[in-house]
Amino acid sequence: MTTAISTSPTMVQRRVWPWIVFLSYGVLLSVHLWNGFDFGSFFQSGVRIATPLLLAALGELIVEKAGLINIGIEGIVLMGAFGGFAAAYQLDSLWIGVGAGMLAGLLLAIMFAFLCVTLRNDQIVIGAALNFLAIGATGLLYQIYYASSGSTHTLEPFQEFELPWISGIPIIGPALFSQTALTYLAILITLVFVLLNLRTRIGFHLEAVGEHPRAADAAGIPVHRVRWAAVLIEGLLGGLAGASLSLASSNTFNEEMSNGRGYIALAIVIFGRWNPLGVLGASLFFGAVTALQLSLQATDIDWLRSNYPYLQMLPYLLTLMVLTFSIGKARAPSAMGKHYHRE
Amino acid sequence: MAFLEANNIQKSFGRIVALRGVDLEVRKGEIHALLGENGAGKTTLMNILYGLLSPDSGSLQLGQKPYRPRSPQDAMGSGVGMVHQHFMLVPTLTVLQNVLLGDSPFSAYRKEVMRDRLRNRMEQLSFDLPIESRVEELSVGVRQRVEIFKALWKGAQLLILDEPTAVLAPQEIEDLFGLLKDLKSEGHSILFISHKLDEIQELCDRVTLLRKGETVGTYQVSEVDRQEMTQLLLGRALSPLTKRQRTQNPTNPFHVRPNPSPHGRLKEGWICDLYPGQITAIAGIEGNGQRELAEAIVGVSSTDSVSIEMEGHSLPSGSPDRISSGVGLISEDRQRTGLVMDFTVEENLALKDIARVPWSKGGWLQKDKIRRTANQLIEQYRVDPPDASRLVSDLSGGNQQKVVVAREISRNHRLLVAFNPTRGLDVGACENVYDALIADAESGAAILLISTELEEVQQLADRVYVLFNGQLTKISEDNWSADRLGLAMMGADTGESC
């Protein structure tokens, strides 16, 4: 019996990767020291910007792994941003805000799960409808409670928490160890995802439900329950992503503040090839590009400053390009977007 | 001693009665065949035994105890395992993970323990499976063994096999039969569902015949011959295949040759000649490029393309032009590529030429004309029920295939590709398809029969090729025996290159 295991390419990759990382760090460090360009704060803002993208994309990842597609992640993020801001502002506690943001995201996720998993409606249509619902609901509540009073409402956001000693390492220190609590949380969740994916039966059950729900059902895995659970987790993570927008990346809520981040998260899942570490890499990439366009806006080149909308397009343009070029390479879960019911 | 007993099982769906009273008795340590026409109720009965459906009335007993499975897990727990035609394996997981899927306490910690246990059980049953390979890397034959092993691992005493040989090569079929006989001698019971009478005669001890939702009877296989079986099955004798005059010295063939394509399945460098008035057959095991070839000929393959030339003229490439230049396809996958399931019979019959006279004039559908033509075809091809306005999805598989065959043959065509045209059809329906193909060849069309059924190839073909791994090989007439063809299908070099 042939057990053709194609270990060789991955083994090569494993040996090469540390070197690539090490070398690029060396290059950056020398530029940093010679030229004085502050890579540290550049990467710091890149990672900060990547945090909500990463959280939302992890949520979408688990849902797609389970064989669903929820473009309503955009609305979930927006709900989280509003819920987080409102609760934190009223009750004067950031962590209560975080919890409320997650619950607000959960609310939308419950609707999605009920409509699409239980009632088997079209996932794209429902996802789009939930996005509009979120825009309408958050906009209305914001108008009633905050905008109408005329004054701006801001709060004291999450501060960077510098981990002792290691935050002093050049470049890496500010980028990874001088972030808000929510960023550390996001990275922790990514690692949990990696472990779940590779080492536990939860990972296999998700895989089975997303690849071949009938086989999963025949093996005694409750397909609908697994899908419900995946959507609920997406709600919590998407809500957390939203809360990090209004409580860490800024200090207030704006209408439609998610601003397409949920859609970028959809692209990140594809770019990250349905793999938690891939999703982490893709999020950091998008974060870095956004940070780049922000720092380009701040340069003293007049043309760039006066034509800043072109720079703002950059992340979205990149989304399109990534989607164009990753077609055919990545393989989505076979049952993604398809309903499952017994014959 | 009866292991499984079903008495007077009845089941209806709405107004449609699927089972009118079925009796079945499978003994311990026997291989029992279940034989019936398309729509006779085999699938329904199977689903009841496996807990996917519950019967309206009647009683089931398993090992002398009442048996009422509410779900496949229930059935498995009682010792009934099933190997579906479409495998229930997650392609991206390994064999080990698939076998253990659903067994609750499974973690990395327990993996070593479970792997050892699995290995032991495999040795015990003399299975040899690559347990660390992903299922998608395995051949169909091996996947089937994984399915069988999985069922045994979960404690199956009775194995239900739904047309297990449909996807296998002759040598793989022999291996499977060997395995099933071993299992039988170890005391397992096997319920073997098949359309192929010769397989039933080779493998099975007894056979139960179903006709229109009723048990015709249960017989010792050694006591009934094929003619009797067919007669019992159809309620009539099978008329012998129309012998036809082979066209001597046929002229003006279509030359089919693959175009270079980077991601194609078909290899370059061969030509296949299709003569008008003849049936040219391409034999081969599934997955060697047959689907790509069939789709490339009608111009709808996304990966491969072929050029077709006749008397120095080439046929247009690309689907709409190719099809309207007189190329037809009878697809194996009628539900996916042959029919629109939510259309009626007449709409499906008119589907390909709906934009043309006489089906429509100036953009308006000619309903009367469509209905009249449809009724003619329904009568000619004995579509049952004979109702042009019925949804195709309400028809049984065999009758759906008749609709496809009727449409493709009645269209104006010069070249017809029949790609596994009898997949999933019972003997009676196969006979209809064969007669139609022969009649079509006699009326001057060039027919390409792409089939995994050796018997079909041997019976119908004027010339035979074998497709292996995208490469076509011509087989000379003295090498048409099942053994020789089977070897060529496995890639042994027995033919001449072309």
Side-chain angles (χ1 to χ4, degrees), chain B residues 224-407:
Chain B
V224 278
D225 64 15
R226 283 175 72 158
Q227 260 93 20
E228 284 173 290
M229 243 195 265
T230 318
Q231 187 142 14
L232 288 164
L233 185 66
L234 298 178
R236 65 182 163 87
L238 199 63
S239 48
L241 266 182
T242 338
K243 282 278 174 246
R244 78 208 148 92
Q245 224 47 51
R246 281 201 183 148
T247 329
Q248 299 300 325
N249 308 318
T251 48
N252 296 337
F254 292 94
H255 301 292
V256 177
R257 111 188 56 200
N259 295 328
S261 57
H263 303 294
R265 189 80 182 78
L266 300 175
K267 299 240 168 62
E268 281 170 75
W270 48 262
I271 302 181
C272 177
D273 294 331
L274 308 175
Y275 288 88
Q278 285 201 336
I279 297 179
T280 308
I282 293 183
I285 304 161
E286 196 161 84
N288 277 291
Q290 287 96 328
R291 173 181 295 282
E292 288 81 0
L293 177 60
E295 290 182 350
I297 289 177
V298 284
V300 297
S301 168
S302 57
T303 51
D304 291 84
S305 71
V306 294
S307 60
I308 306 177
E309 213 175 87
M310 187 199 199
E311 291 187 300
H313 299 284
S314 34
L315 264 56
S317 56
S319 109
D321 295 340
R322 192 57 71 80
I323 290 171
S324 51
S325 71
V327 180
L329 170 68
I330 298 173
S331 162
E332 66 164 359
D333 197 348
R334 47 194 166 260
Q335 309 204 344
R336 198 168 65 92
T337 51
L339 297 168
V340 181
M341 298 308 282
D342 293 336
F343 276 13
T344 62
V345 172
E346 57 186 352
E347 285 165 343
N348 270 295
L349 285 170
L351 193 61
K352 282 199 173 167
D353 296 305
I354 195 89
R356 284 185 223 183
V357 180
W359 307 99
S360 62
K361 271 186 195 152
W364 296 94
L365 295 182
Q366 304 296 302
K367 288 275 192 188
D368 292 352
K369 180 72 189 163
I370 292 176
R371 174 65 54 91
R372 244 179 298 138
T373 319
N375 281 333
Q376 271 170 22
L377 289 172
I378 286 170
E379 198 187 319
Q380 191 180 340
Y381 288 90
R382 283 180 284 184
V383 178
D384 184 47
D387 180 359
S389 61
R390 191 177 269 260
L391 285 184
V392 178
S393 52
D394 290 345
L395 269 51
S396 68
N399 283 297
Q400 290 172 354
Q401 191 70 339
K402 286 183 197 167
V403 174
V404 178
V405 171
R407 179 182 69 211

Side-chain angles (χ1 to χ4, degrees), chain A residues 1 204 207 212 217-218 331, chain B residues 73 76 87 89 92 97 128:
Chain A
M1 212 49 79
F204 293 130
E207 181 104 21
H212 197 334
D217 192 14
R331 207 176 73 76
Chain B
Q73 291 88 270
M76 255 183 293
F87 299 141
L89 298 170
T92 53
Q97 288 162 352
D128 184 15

Side-chain angles (χ1 to χ4, degrees), chain A residues 1-6 198-205 207-222 331 334 340 342-343, chain B residues 47 50 52-53 70-73 76 86-93 97 101-108 128-130 132-133 136-137 142 154:
Chain A
M1 212 49 79
T2 51
T3 41
I5 305 163
S6 51
L198 297 178
R199 306 239 165 240
T200 66
R201 64 195 168 104
I202 298 174
F204 293 130
H205 284 193
E207 181 104 21
V209 166
E211 290 286 344
H212 197 334
R214 196 168 297 281
D217 192 14
I221 299 168
R331 207 176 73 76
S334 311
Y340 174 66
R342 288 184 181 170
E343 275 164 354
Chain B
N47 285 341
Y50 195 54
L52 284 166
L53 295 172
R70 296 181 187 285
S71 67
Q73 291 88 270
M76 255 183 293
H86 305 281
F87 299 141
M88 292 293 153
L89 298 170
V90 181
T92 53
L93 297 181
Q97 288 162 352
L101 195 68
D103 285 7
S104 350
F106 175 58
S107 62
D128 184 15
L129 300 170
E132 297 294 350
S133 295
E136 61 192 352
E137 295 164 359
V142 178
K154 298 198 189 254

